[in-house]
Amino acid sequence: FSFQQGGWGASLADRLVRKCDVLNRGFSGYNTRWAKIILPRLIRKGNSLDIPVAVTIFFGANDSALKDENPKQHIPLEEYAANLKSMVQYLKSVDIPENRVILITPTPLCETAWEEQCIIQGCKLNRLNSVVGEYANACLQVAQDCGTDVLDLWTLMQDSQDFSSYLSDGLHLSPKGNEFLFSHLWPLIEKKVSSLPLLLPYWRDVAEAKPELSLLGDGDH
């Protein structure tokens, strides 16, 4: 949902207009086991112009589902950490170093709101916030081990007295939650994109008599 109106991905794309393209490669319901398999299809080794300036890896909400209640999405904690490491290592193999990667922990879970959704779907509560916290801690450890940046949403959101307003249904981000994520992610992204030139000149700077002089150069003159 990150490219919906007000979504954090859409906010990134808006902030980075004419600097770089923001590609959404999030897949609803996926876990790290599946993501590790498809990552080479999503990001391949290319020429230097195609190398991403930043990559976010945002998993854990599905991996941390309870095995007894949701075995399809559940991934054991140790495998979750290994899968994150594997993805960081794969990115490194296609010329995306650790300093371009940002891991994002899962958000906290509002159990009362999510239980209502589970009941509507005819099942029991299939996640617990304490368990999600274990996966968030594992994500932090992987970031430390691999030397990547990390955004600890699980902790940051619970610094608020009532974090439920950041979630639309106890699990997924609300408009306020998307805004929260973007506001904390942007400083990490900004460090990686600050040196990028503006693509093509501002319209007032285009040479009037011979626009080709302005428009057929390398894009930043």
Side-chain angles (χ1 to χ4, degrees), residues 75-90:
I75 299 296
L77 185 61
E78 296 76 16
E79 185 190 339
Y80 166 75
N83 289 340
L84 288 179
K85 283 185 181 178
S86 177
M87 285 189 269
V88 173
Q89 287 161 358
Y90 170 76

Side-chain angles (χ1 to χ4, degrees), residues 141-175:
Q141 187 61 52
V142 169
Q144 186 176 336
D145 293 346
C146 293
T148 70
D149 282 340
V150 64
L151 176 57
D152 185 3
L153 279 184
W154 191 81
T155 300
L156 286 169
M157 283 188 166
Q158 291 184 95
D159 285 343
S160 168
Q161 282 187 315
D162 180 18
F163 67 85
S164 64
S165 62
Y166 295 130
L167 306 167
S168 61
D169 55 7
L171 176 66
H172 301 97
L173 292 168
S174 66

Side-chain angles (χ1 to χ4, degrees), residues 147-215:
T148 70
D149 282 340
V150 64
L151 176 57
D152 185 3
L153 279 184
W154 191 81
T155 300
L156 286 169
M157 283 188 166
Q158 291 184 95
D159 285 343
S160 168
Q161 282 187 315
D162 180 18
F163 67 85
S164 64
S165 62
Y166 295 130
L167 306 167
S168 61
D169 55 7
L171 176 66
H172 301 97
L173 292 168
S174 66
K176 186 178 176 184
N178 274 282
E179 188 180 333
F180 183 95
L181 195 167
F182 172 72
S183 67
H184 287 81
L185 178 61
W186 174 246
L188 299 176
I189 295 282
E190 188 175 27
K191 288 188 299 183
K192 304 180 193 310
V193 302
S194 58
S195 62
L196 292 179
L198 190 68
L199 295 175
L200 294 169
Y202 180 56
W203 70 271
R204 290 188 187 277
D205 298 329
V206 175
E208 198 168 338
K210 279 199 167 184
E212 296 88 347
L213 295 174
S214 304
L215 303 177

